[in-house]
Amino acid sequence: MACMNIPGELVEDILYRVPSPSISRFKTVSKEWNTLLNDKAFIKKHLTLIRPQFLLWTNSKVYSVGVSLNDDPKIELRELLLDIPDVIDHRTTNFLPCNDLLFCASWWWNNKAAVWNPSLRQTRLIKSGEEHFRFGGIGYDNGRHGKGYHIFGHSHSRQSVNGNTSKFNKRFSISKFESNAWKCINDVSDGENSIGGDSLDNNVSLNGNLYWTTYSYETDEYLIRSFDFSKEIFKIFCVLPWKKDSSDIPILSVFRGDRLSVLNKSKGTNNMEIWVTKNKINEDVKNLVWKMFMTVSIPIYKGSNPSYFINDIYEKRLVMFCSDENGKACVYIAKGHARKKIQIGFDVSEFSHCFYDPNLFPIPSESSDQ
């Protein structure tokens, strides 16, 4: 093949649009390309142009599901390699996207978790020194220059009361990602500060902090709780206006990269409302305002929770990954009154999923100075 002289600006413009799982291969083309693809300005612009994706995992495999949002939407299913010494199981394994990274933890691993970047094929195993430790998530101190990642979770212990009965306590601990040195932040009674139902499937990460929805039996209200990695404290972020007898548990997602959205499904129906915060999420929760983004009716499998993302760059659009009424994996794209369903196209009936944004940021090493 004849060698073509392509202007550097055109090469750069083409590379901006290459999907993240493929772009790492181009680093070996030349020193110039390797420098370009590691440049922070390139990475930032590339993030604005690539397609958002869903992560899908079964009992043994992990896939990315890319969705094109042109006039004829299509999906691309691609198997991903997760280099960890444990078997993936959709019933016990969960993934939590945190800005640049994917956090992977399982109920069965007890004191182990993994941080993963599928685009760069990088994995780092995280261990806790405590037995029966369950990981809660990953975040960072948003008041610190640079992202010093922290990981936290809890262990269980029984404490004797009056020499006869025992009380079930949770001991929360946090670790700096680069040092893997753990410290205890508090001990609470069982039932307090539960993190997304003790799993990651209802958690979202925004501005370094974790948010999740939960139900208060004392007040009969749905709440959004949060864990602030800067102050190392739990907080009630806000109260949601729906009751358990009329709504399924609300599902959180991130909107525009700096706001929260929540999907409220009416109990026993296919009707869904999607609300978004009007302003950026910050410390001033007193002035928090929710506004209706859109309403939609989508039939999903009873008892299942969808993953979704929304955008309003050009027009309001919802992209949802879910189990359809027959329990089959599919993607719905809703825009105005129009709705399109795309089947994933494989025969696995048991699976889990979440939304994530691919990226090219490397996983910090244990010795890196964040």
Side-chain angles (χ1 to χ4, degrees), residues 286-310:
K286 293 181 180 179
N287 296 319
L288 183 71
V289 176
W290 291 89
K291 65 178 183 177
M292 175 76 76
F293 181 83
M294 69 188 302
T295 60
V296 67
S297 180
I298 294 177
I300 64 174
Y301 195 69
K302 186 177 180 181
S304 66
N305 288 331
S307 303
Y308 72 97
F309 70 89
I310 55 177

Side-chain angles (χ1 to χ4, degrees), residues 320-340:
M320 177 185 292
F321 193 110
C322 63
S323 301
D324 65 14
E325 60 269 40
N326 299 312
K328 300 295 184 182
C330 70
V331 171
Y332 277 99
I333 301 173
K335 182 176 61 173
H337 296 293
R339 189 183 75 190
K340 179 171 182 175

Side-chain angles (χ1 to χ4, degrees), residues 159 167-170 172 187-194:
Q159 188 178 36
K167 185 180 179 182
F168 207 36
N169 279 5
K170 289 180 180 178
F172 284 88
D187 288 278
V188 298
S189 299
D190 193 37
E192 296 181 63
N193 299 334
S194 60

